[in-house]
């Protein structure tokens, strides 16, 4: 009987460790996806800023050209 209780206790505690490891791995996977999405968002923002800067330069050149 004593051995049975010991085996059940070990199995239960071992299962908790596996669950914790699985939860940690899932959390790490989610964090990785968040970081990747953040990088994509940052890149899109950078491109939009560059487009806006180009448009501003073009407009400034057009305005300078029409003043002459």
């Amino acid at each position: 009987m004593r051995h049975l209780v010991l085996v059940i206790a070990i199995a239960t505690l071992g299962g908790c460790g596996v669950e914790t490891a699985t939860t940690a791995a899932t959390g790490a996977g989610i964090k990785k996806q968040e970081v990747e999405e953040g990088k994509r968002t940052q890149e899109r923002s950078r491109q939009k800023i560059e487009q806006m800067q180009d448009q501003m330069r073009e407009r400034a050149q057009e305005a300078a050209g029409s003043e002459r």
Side-chain angles (χ1 to χ4, degrees):
M1 185 65 172
R2 203 177 213 178
H3 292 315
L4 179 61
V5 171
L6 182 61
V7 169
I8 292 172
I10 290 172
T12 302
L13 292 175
C16 291
V18 170
E19 183 179 341
T20 302
T22 302
T23 303
T26 301
I30 291 170
K31 272 294 182 202
K32 182 180 177 185
Q33 289 175 346
E34 289 174 354
V35 168
E36 289 172 355
E37 182 59 33
K39 287 179 181 179
R40 287 190 292 271
T41 300
Q42 183 179 16
E43 180 61 23
R44 285 191 300 268
S45 297
R46 186 190 61 75
Q47 290 174 352
K48 287 181 182 180
I49 291 169
E50 287 178 358
Q51 288 173 349
M52 292 174 71
Q53 288 174 334
D54 290 343
Q55 288 176 352
M56 289 175 60
R57 275 190 220 103
E58 289 173 8
R59 289 179 185 160
Q61 289 173 351
E62 290 173 2
S66 66
E67 290 177 0
R68 291 184 186 169

